[in-house]
Amino acid sequence: MVSMNAVLLISFLLWSVGVAGVLIRRNALVILMCVELMLNAANLNFIAFARQSGTVHGQAIALLVMGFAAAEVAVGLALVVALYRRKGNIQVDEINLLKG
Amino acid sequence: MSIEQAASHMIGATSAASTGSGILWLIPFLPFFGFLINGLTGRRLKNTKVVDAIALGSVGISFLLTVYFFFQLLALPENSRSIHQNLWTWFDLGGARVLGGLSTTTVQWAYKFDALSAAMAILVTGAGFLIHLFSTGYMAEERNDGRYYRFMAYMNLFVFSMLNLVLGANILMMFLGWEGVGLCSYLLIGFYFDRDYAAAAGKKAFVTNRVGDFGFMIGFFLLIMLFGNLDFDTMMGMVRGISGMPSITLFGHTAAPTFWFNLIGCCLFVGAIGKSAQIPLYVWLPDAMAGPTPVSALIHAATMVTSGLYMITRLNFIYVLAPGALSLVLFVGALTALFAATMGLAQYDIKKVLAYSTVSQLGFMFMGLGAGAFSAGMFHVFTHAAFKACLFLGSGSVIAACHHEQDMRNMGGLRKYMPWTFASMGLATLAIAGVPPFSGFFSKDEILWKVFEHGWNGQGWFYYLCWGLGMLAAFCTAFYMVRLMAMTFFGEFRGAGNDPFGLTVPSEAHHGGDDDAHGAHGHAAHGDALADAHTNPGLHVHAADDLTDHGHAGQAHGPSEVPWNMWVPVFIFAVLAVVLGFLNLPPSLKGSEHFSKWLEPLLYQAAAAHGGHHAAESIEYWLMGFAIVWALSAMGLAWWMYISDPSWSRAKAFVARFPQLFEWVNAKYYVDEFYDAMVINPIKQLSAQLWSLDNWVIDGMVNGAARFTVMLASASDWFDAKVVDGLVNAVAWGLQQGSMGFKALQSGRVQNYAFVMMLGFLAFAFWKFLA
């Protein structure tokens, strides 16, 4: 039986990798994947707490998050593809149209 | 009322019907066209004969037209002798509040040819034509230097103005001519405007006349207030109604009609004083001799100076009702007659003698008017016009013949050289001196008789006093005229170095061969010459010594008779001077007073006739006889002093006996100096003070206000630029600087935003869960 703390630590590391990836990487695809990492870290917590408490609520929310993540990726990839068609690359620091 | 008696033998006033005419306007306008043509094109005309033709032709035709209308007038019945022409409405006065009622009236540009204006128009055009003719000879030297056309144009303009004055149907038309002759006198007297003395004389005439015009204008403004009308005929028709009013209120002052008539009469007389050169405004007329001699004859003997008399006669209906004003006229006239006559006694300049004589004779005419004998005054205007024009033109001939010498001490003996001129001037002298049967005797005697008659009728010592002044003036007149004739025509010719008795004075009138200014020179510096004569009696410069190149080639050097176009006008005037008197022979001499009868319908009469109030005819005979003896003794005295004694030792002895007296009279009683000291200099000083007040105080205040405003404005500018703009700019600057920071924050990079968001999240988490 893996201890709760270990799961939480894994989840924390996973989420931190995700945050670092979102903040640092420039490739939009990689950023999307890092967002998936952060979502999965959250899911991992939900499942860990569900098993700890013996209820299914966490399991259910994890499933819901996966559904959301799938939808989000569908929309995100569409945006990335459209962006690529318009600008010719998907480096996020090149895309500063909202600059003041 | 004395005046009622004076007017007693006159037939009642008329407002008779007037006949219209379509060509009356040509009389004044022909000379005006002459003026326009000559004035505009004369400069380019090479042949001055054309100028002659236009100038003389316009006045000549005008004269013929006047004669034609005169005969038209003769054919009309006595009480409706009036021809008029309304040309256009000059302006509309609109509604004027007159005597409490509203009167609407227009001023017409209208001419009126009646007994009085007909007589004056004949005088103006006839004398004007002859004087124009004379000018063609006298101004010969100007023909070549391009000034001739200007002279002739001015003369024509003068005749136009004078005709406007005498033919105008209302007082405003008269005033137009009145100012016109004033302007022309300025132009003509100052004709040699490049000479200071001539320019000054023109200015003096103009300014002096303006003083009089001020009174004239007040007078006719009052007339408008009183009558609401300016038309002579209308006013004459209304005057009886107005004089019958119990009292009249003008400008808040209530007084009897006589008061207002007196006031108007005095104001208008001030105008007449200026124009007709009476005390105290006569000073311009002697100076006006600076103009060419024909100008003196035209303006100062025959026409312009008579305009004051014409005006008073024209407005006789006012004066008849204004006894105070008439007394003033009489007294000023008598005083002027004597005062000017005494000044004539001691002049050496031939034209100055005649100038003072004119002033004196005008005084006589005013005496006639002042005595209520308007026709007698006007009669003297006519006889005087003839003999004075003759004398002036004659003196012009003499001056021309003596090469622009004007000092009588340098003439003498001219009767041998210029017989026609001598004969003409001799006749005119007899006329002005009052020797029967020459014209001056009748006219002057009638005036003095009318004045005396008032006294005889018990109207007070005042009339005797004026009569006495007049008699003294008549004595002086006879004396100085014979003196003039003696100095000019008798004895030996004293020019050309011939001076047996040491009588000549150095003359500055001659510039030998310098040809720049013939005709223009010769009038200057006679005062200096006189002064020299007093200080250096032994100094003789022989006038004609340096005249070898004088433009009179082929003539002998002595004076010679002038050409026909000069002596013929003089002679015509002389003949007129002889015969004109018979126009108005009094009944006491079996005459029928044609002239008085002619004017009678125009003369207003205040009340019903008082027959039988005349003094007895025997008195008139006595007076006449006395006047004849009086004039002859004056002439005899002059003869004894100047002709029977060619060295003038008797005159010199008299002068030596009373040196101060002679000095005073010769210097014209220092009246000009008195005016300078009492009027002109105070005015100048006051002007200077006003100027400095203006310069320092008013300008100082204005400039100070300006400076203060400038200072205030620059302070305000500083405040605006530094404080107000500073605040505005500071706000803008702060916002700009602040926006720079926010701008940097808005990088457009999603990762930055996400980072900030995460920091926020962390901060929230720290605050919520950990703290």
Side-chain angles (χ1 to χ4, degrees):
Chain A
M1 179 79 183
V2 182
S3 75
M4 182 73 182
N5 280 349
V7 175
L8 288 180
L9 187 61
I10 290 297
S11 165
F12 176 68
L13 290 175
L14 199 60
W15 185 81
S16 298
V17 170
V19 166
V22 166
L23 291 183
I24 293 166
R25 297 303 297 265
R26 293 177 177 173
N27 192 312
L29 281 177
V30 177
I31 289 170
L32 278 179
M33 287 192 295
C34 289
V35 170
E36 293 302 315
L37 279 182
M38 288 162 71
L39 289 173
N40 283 337
N43 280 347
L44 195 58
N45 275 7
F46 279 125
I47 291 164
F49 284 117
R51 198 181 69 180
Q52 178 77 20
S53 64
T55 60
V56 292
H57 293 87
Q59 312 279 2
I61 287 175
L63 279 173
L64 193 63
V65 169
M66 279 179 220
F68 284 149
E72 182 227 317
V73 167
V75 173
L77 277 177
L79 283 174
V80 170
V81 170
L83 200 62
Y84 182 78
R85 283 192 184 150
R86 174 68 55 98
K87 305 282 289 183
N89 69 42
I90 51 172
Q91 301 296 97
V92 289
D93 59 346
E94 301 285 325
I95 301 160
N96 56 358
L97 293 176
L98 292 180
K99 183 180 180 181
Chain B
M1 190 192 284
S2 64
I3 306 313
E4 291 167 9
Q5 286 167 10
S8 61
H9 62 284
M10 300 166 186
I11 300 175
T14 58
S15 48
S18 181
T19 314
S21 167
I23 57 166
L24 189 56
W25 67 279
L26 280 175
I27 295 178
F29 271 91
L30 276 174
F32 186 65
F33 293 146
F35 156 70
L36 281 184
I37 295 170
N38 271 344
L40 293 176
T41 67
R43 186 194 296 273
R44 289 186 288 277
L45 288 176
K46 286 282 170 279
N47 190 352
T48 51
K49 293 279 176 203
V50 182
V51 176
D52 284 351
I54 293 166
L56 266 70
S58 60
V59 180
I61 297 172
S62 192
F63 173 66
L64 295 178
L65 267 176
T66 312
V67 172
Y68 163 77
F69 275 108
F70 178 74
F71 283 110
Q72 298 262 302
L73 219 53
L74 266 181
L76 292 168
E78 198 174 66
N79 272 343
S80 54
R81 276 184 184 146
S82 173
I83 300 174
H84 72 270
Q85 184 179 17
N86 278 12
L87 287 177
W88 60 81
T89 298
W90 188 0
F91 54 83
D92 195 331
L93 277 182
R97 186 161 290 283
V98 175
L99 289 179
L102 201 65
S103 158
T104 57
T105 183
T106 57
V107 176
Q108 302 290 329
W109 192 285
Y111 292 113
K112 168 175 152 66
F113 195 83
D114 61 9
L116 182 58
S117 38
M120 286 299 286
I122 288 178
L123 172 68
V124 172
T125 53
F129 178 76
L130 289 176
I131 293 166
H132 273 70
L133 178 63
F134 181 85
S135 307
T136 61
Y138 188 83
M139 302 300 281
E141 286 166 356
E142 272 74 14
R143 278 183 194 272
N144 301 324
D145 57 13
R147 296 189 285 197
Y148 187 71
Y149 82 94
R150 190 160 63 83
F151 182 79
M152 281 306 192
Y154 288 167
M155 294 280 274
N156 274 1
L157 183 64
F158 182 88
V159 173
F160 163 71
S161 302
M162 194 65 205
L163 286 171
N164 218 29
L165 197 161
V166 299
L167 293 178
N170 54 57
I171 199 166
L172 210 61
M173 292 288 291
M174 180 197 256
F175 189 64
L176 185 75
W178 187 276
E179 293 300 310
V181 291
L183 169 71
C184 294
S185 69
Y186 169 75
L187 294 173
L188 284 168
I189 293 168
F191 181 70
Y192 300 123
F193 59 83
D194 46 355
R195 315 274 140 169
D196 283 344
Y197 64 91
K203 230 163 33 183
K204 190 170 181 182
F206 196 74
V207 172
T208 314
N209 270 301
R210 287 294 78 68
V211 177
D213 292 346
F214 188 63
F216 186 88
M217 277 156 80
I218 293 175
F220 87 71
F221 293 157
L222 282 172
L223 272 180
I224 300 183
M225 297 302 294
L226 212 54
F227 289 89
N229 199 294
L230 288 173
D231 195 60
F232 293 129
D233 288 339
T234 318
M235 285 199 285
M236 194 160 171
M238 289 168 71
V239 76
R240 196 178 295 276
I242 287 180
S243 69
M245 296 171 83
S247 69
I248 294 174
T249 306
L250 283 184
F251 310 109
H253 182 73
T254 306
T258 310
F259 169 82
W260 294 109
F261 285 134
N262 272 332
L263 185 63
I264 292 174
C266 290
C267 288
L268 291 175
F269 182 55
V270 170
I273 282 176
K275 200 61 78 189
S276 296
Q278 297 295 290
I279 290 174
L281 297 181
Y282 70 90
V283 288
W284 64 271
L285 200 142
D287 283 32
M289 297 300 129
T293 305
V295 173
S296 310
L298 179 62
I299 299 182
H300 308 297
T303 57
M304 171 177 164
V305 290
T306 62
S307 52
L309 297 140
Y310 169 77
M311 184 265 290
I312 288 181
T313 310
R314 175 56 85 191
L315 294 173
N316 63 80
F317 50 89
I318 302 281
Y319 281 91
V320 165
L321 297 168
L326 265 193
S327 301
L328 181 72
V329 173
L330 173 60
F331 186 65
V332 169
L335 213 56
T336 309
L338 178 60
F339 191 63
T342 56
M343 283 190 274
L345 294 175
Q347 301 302 315
Y348 287 117
D349 185 323
I350 183 168
K351 282 172 75 180
K352 281 273 167 72
V353 176
L354 294 175
Y356 284 110
S357 166
T358 303
V359 176
S360 168
Q361 295 300 310
L362 290 165
F364 274 109
M365 298 170 205
F366 276 111
M367 280 175 76
L369 303 187
F374 297 102
S375 58
M378 285 311 285
F379 183 46
H380 198 51
V381 168
F382 280 84
T383 58
H384 172 258
F387 54 69
K388 187 52 62 68
C390 173
L391 288 169
F392 260 123
L393 296 185
S395 75
S397 301
V398 167
I399 292 167
C402 291
H403 310 294
H404 296 285
E405 175 60 65
Q406 295 197 11
D407 197 307
M408 293 191 293
R409 285 171 292 192
N410 296 343
M411 296 175 179
L414 294 180
R415 71 182 186 281
K416 298 184 205 100
Y417 301 100
M418 24 200 330
W420 283 107
T421 309
F422 168 65
S424 312
M425 284 183 77
L427 292 174
T429 299
L430 292 174
I432 192 176
V435 176
F438 300 100
S439 60
F441 168 73
F442 297 108
S443 55
K444 197 190 292 181
D445 196 59
E446 191 177 351
I447 288 171
L448 290 170
W449 164 238
K450 295 285 183 197
V451 177
F452 186 82
E453 197 181 28
H454 280 295
W456 186 260
N457 284 341
Q459 283 155 15
W461 53 270
F462 173 69
Y463 289 94
Y464 283 130
L465 170 70
C466 291
W467 177 79
L469 293 176
M471 285 307 279
L472 283 177
F475 188 87
C476 295
T477 306
F479 183 87
Y480 67 64
M481 283 315 299
V482 173
R483 175 176 174 270
L484 181 144
M485 290 301 285
M487 284 182 152
T488 312
F489 289 104
F490 287 89
E492 293 297 315
F493 180 57
R494 290 185 291 276
N498 177 25
D499 184 20
F501 299 108
L503 296 171
T504 60
V505 293
S507 170
E508 296 176 21
H510 301 279
H511 307 296
D514 96 4
D515 55 1
D516 89 62
H518 268 188
H521 69 235
H523 315 292
H526 275 282
D528 293 348
L530 288 177
D532 280 354
H534 286 297
T535 50
N536 303 322
L539 177 67
H540 307 307
V541 173
H542 300 312
D545 281 356
D546 54 353
L547 290 180
T548 47
D549 183 21
H550 204 275
H552 293 264
Q555 288 187 14
H557 237 84
S560 56
E561 185 57 280
V562 289
W564 71 271
N565 53 1
M566 289 172 75
W567 67 257
V568 164
V570 181
F571 192 69
I572 293 175
F573 278 124
V575 172
L576 286 174
V578 173
V579 301
L580 268 185
F582 294 100
L583 272 183
N584 205 27
L585 272 188
S588 53
L589 293 179
K590 309 287 173 262
S592 52
E593 294 191 301
H594 291 295
F595 188 82
S596 299
K597 290 240 161 46
W598 172 254
L599 285 186
E600 245 168 36
L602 279 174
L603 297 177
Y604 176 80
Q605 139 192 25
H610 298 275
H613 261 255
H614 292 296
E617 278 196 355
S618 60
I619 314 252
E620 195 172 348
Y621 288 132
W622 274 109
L623 220 59
M624 230 178 255
F626 178 55
I628 295 168
V629 173
W630 187 247
L632 287 178
S633 59
M635 293 172 76
L637 182 64
W639 187 282
W640 179 70
M641 282 173 90
Y642 287 100
I643 295 179
S644 67
D645 171 23
S647 65
W648 305 347
S649 56
R650 288 159 187 157
K652 281 179 177 168
F654 180 80
V655 171
R657 185 99 180 265
F658 305 104
Q660 293 294 334
L661 180 68
F662 184 81
E663 274 295 299
W664 266 71
V665 179
N666 184 265
K668 305 140 201 166
Y669 301 110
Y670 298 100
V671 169
D672 278 327
E673 286 77 3
F674 174 78
Y675 281 173
D676 271 347
M678 297 307 289
V679 182
I680 297 170
N681 280 336
I683 289 178
K684 277 185 181 167
Q685 278 168 11
L686 181 67
S687 309
Q689 278 162 5
L690 286 177
W691 179 84
S692 46
L693 179 77
D694 191 50
N695 194 41
W696 298 109
V697 179
I698 311 265
D699 284 10
M701 276 160 62
V702 172
N703 291 342
R707 196 159 300 157
F708 178 73
T709 310
V710 167
M711 279 165 58
L712 199 68
S714 58
S716 169
D717 178 58
W718 179 87
F719 183 80
D720 194 47
K722 303 290 175 188
V723 179
V724 179
D725 286 6
L727 273 174
V728 172
N729 289 341
V731 169
W733 183 83
L735 286 174
Q736 219 163 5
Q737 294 303 313
S739 74
M740 294 296 266
F742 286 109
K743 183 184 167 186
L745 218 63
Q746 194 176 357
S747 64
R749 290 192 179 132
V750 181
Q751 284 166 316
N752 282 1
Y753 300 160
F755 177 69
V756 172
M757 197 170 82
M758 194 203 74
L759 283 181
F761 174 75
L762 282 182
F764 180 76
F766 184 77
W767 171 64
K768 194 72 189 172
F769 298 111
L770 301 180

